[in-house]
């Protein structure tokens, strides 16, 4: 996705299970921010991302299924990082660190038997699996995802703006549809141009799209926050309705700082924000396109 940014999945898709965890790992640290919309968020450590607060860098973003129970996956991410002395230094010894791991969850509980949800072991294993190359679709946090009446999943997209790389990863689990039910055509042409016959839409309560947009620019926390806000616009382009009372749509932004932002900064930042909206919309499309049918929940590719 972006140099220095790794992605790892761990999931269980078997009888009684359809859930998992995805970790976006930045072992060298990255400036972080977040933007949350919708009426049903499930998040962890988002307050520290406020530009007014002390900590400037994060070391991982934990995205998980399991609703609020799935926030426990971040404990495993912290353990994996702490074993490698990666974190915010709080003492004299190299291992005196507190890893900074914000996170968000999707509501996918009805896709598994009650009690089967991600725990700390999911986060730890996802870190162990992290690499620059990673799978898409019904993997990690997207294992039990749905988007409207279709199967959702993990998607990604990337582009380049001048000297900067911009990438996005989305776990697509929205209450809204990626396809217009009146015409059978996708909201975004990149999903496909042939109408599909959608299954009957029955509200499932399986909601919330979460994800990360990352750049290699040297942004401040406040500038990162603008990036996360712009990415939410991309979500609204790809899914309708978006940001409902039943979604907890949450997008994190990461800036690795590898490439100085050009002057004048406001114009360069605005170009990155425009790209963030585009790549996050494309990542949502990717999540729907890469998903595969699971039980009675049909995938776009199969229709």
């Amino acid at each position: 996705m972006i140099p220095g940014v790794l992605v790892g999945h761990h999931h269980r898709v078997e009888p009684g299970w359809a859930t998992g965890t995805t970790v976006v790992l930045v072992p060298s640290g990255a400036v972080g921010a977040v933007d949350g919309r919708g009426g049903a968020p499930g998040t962890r450590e988002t307050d520290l991302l406020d530009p007014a607060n002390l900590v400037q860098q994060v070391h991982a973003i934990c995205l998980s299924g399991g609703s609020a129970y799935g926030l426990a996956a971040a404990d495993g991410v912290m353990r994996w990082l702490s074993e490698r002395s990666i974190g915010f230094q709080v003492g004299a010894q190299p291992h005196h660190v507190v890893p900074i791991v914000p996170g968000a969850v999707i509501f996918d509980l009805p896709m598994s038997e009650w009690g089967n949800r991600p725990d700390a072991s999911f986060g730890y294993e996802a870190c162990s699996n992290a690499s620059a190359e990673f799978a898409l679709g019904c993997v990690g946090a997207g294992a039990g995802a749905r988007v409207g009446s279709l199967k959702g999943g993990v998607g990604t997209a990337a582009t380049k703006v001048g000297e900067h790389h911009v990438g996005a990863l989305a776990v697509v689990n929205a209450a809204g549809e990626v396809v217009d039910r009146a015409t059978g055509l996708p909201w975004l042409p990149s999903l496909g141009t042939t109408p599909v016959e959608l299954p009957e839409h029955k509200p499932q309560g399986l909601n919330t799209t979460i994800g990360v947009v990352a750049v290699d620019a040297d942004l401040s926390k406040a500038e990162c926050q603008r990036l996360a806000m712009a990415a939410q616009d991309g979500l609204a382009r790809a899914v309708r309705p978006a940001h409902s009372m039943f979604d907890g749509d949450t997008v994190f932004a990461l800036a690795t700082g590898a490439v100085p932002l050009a002057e004048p900064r406001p114009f360069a930042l605005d170009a990155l924000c425009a790209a963030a909206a585009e790549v996050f919309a494309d990542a949502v499309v990717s999540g729907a396109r890469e998903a595969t049918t699971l039980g009675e929940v049909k995938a776009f590719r199969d229709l």
Side-chain angles (χ1 to χ4, degrees), residues 189-256:
S190 54
L191 187 59
T193 56
T194 303
V196 298
E197 184 177 347
L198 288 174
E200 181 183 357
H201 181 70
K202 297 179 180 180
Q204 300 290 327
L206 296 169
N207 312 318
T208 296
T209 295
I210 57 180
V212 176
V213 59
V215 298
D216 54 9
D218 62 336
L219 302 185
S220 67
K221 286 173 75 175
E223 289 169 334
C224 250
Q225 192 171 39
R226 296 299 307 182
L227 206 69
M229 293 167 64
Q232 291 275 19
D233 295 336
L235 170 57
R237 295 175 192 173
V239 176
R240 302 180 192 178
H243 311 145
S244 76
M245 285 298 294
F246 307 99
D247 289 293
D249 300 330
T250 303
V251 179
F252 297 93
L254 297 173
T256 66

Side-chain angles (χ1 to χ4, degrees), residues 44-223:
R44 166 186 169 127
E45 293 273 51
T46 52
D47 283 352
L48 64 79
L49 298 178
D50 188 310
N53 290 335
L54 172 67
V55 174
Q56 296 298 306
Q57 293 198 326
V58 304
H59 305 98
I61 302 293
C62 184
L63 309 173
S64 187
S67 190
Y69 294 107
L71 292 171
D75 293 342
V77 181
M78 290 189 69
R79 181 165 67 88
W80 190 92
L81 289 166
S82 67
E83 288 175 355
R84 291 155 179 81
S85 299
I86 298 172
F88 181 72
Q89 196 75 33
V90 295
Q93 299 300 317
H95 65 282
H96 293 173
V97 298
V98 177
I100 306 301
V101 185
V105 293
I106 65 170
F107 184 80
D108 62 354
L109 294 177
M111 297 293 284
S112 301
E113 291 182 4
W114 189 256
N116 291 349
R117 56 236 181 187
D119 56 18
S121 68
F122 278 64
Y124 191 93
E125 291 301 321
C127 288
S128 299
N129 296 332
S131 71
E133 303 291 331
F134 50 93
L136 302 176
C138 299
V139 295
R146 292 181 62 163
V147 53
S149 52
L150 299 173
K151 187 71 181 72
V154 173
T156 190
T159 190
K160 194 172 182 185
V161 180
E163 296 300 313
H164 298 291
H165 294 86
V166 184
L169 180 144
V171 182
V172 187
N173 187 66
E177 297 276 7
V178 291
V179 172
D180 182 357
R181 297 192 62 80
T183 66
L185 291 169
W187 298 118
L188 287 185
S190 54
L191 187 59
T193 56
T194 303
V196 298
E197 184 177 347
L198 288 174
E200 181 183 357
H201 181 70
K202 297 179 180 180
Q204 300 290 327
L206 296 169
N207 312 318
T208 296
T209 295
I210 57 180
V212 176
V213 59
V215 298
D216 54 9
D218 62 336
L219 302 185
S220 67
K221 286 173 75 175
E223 289 169 334

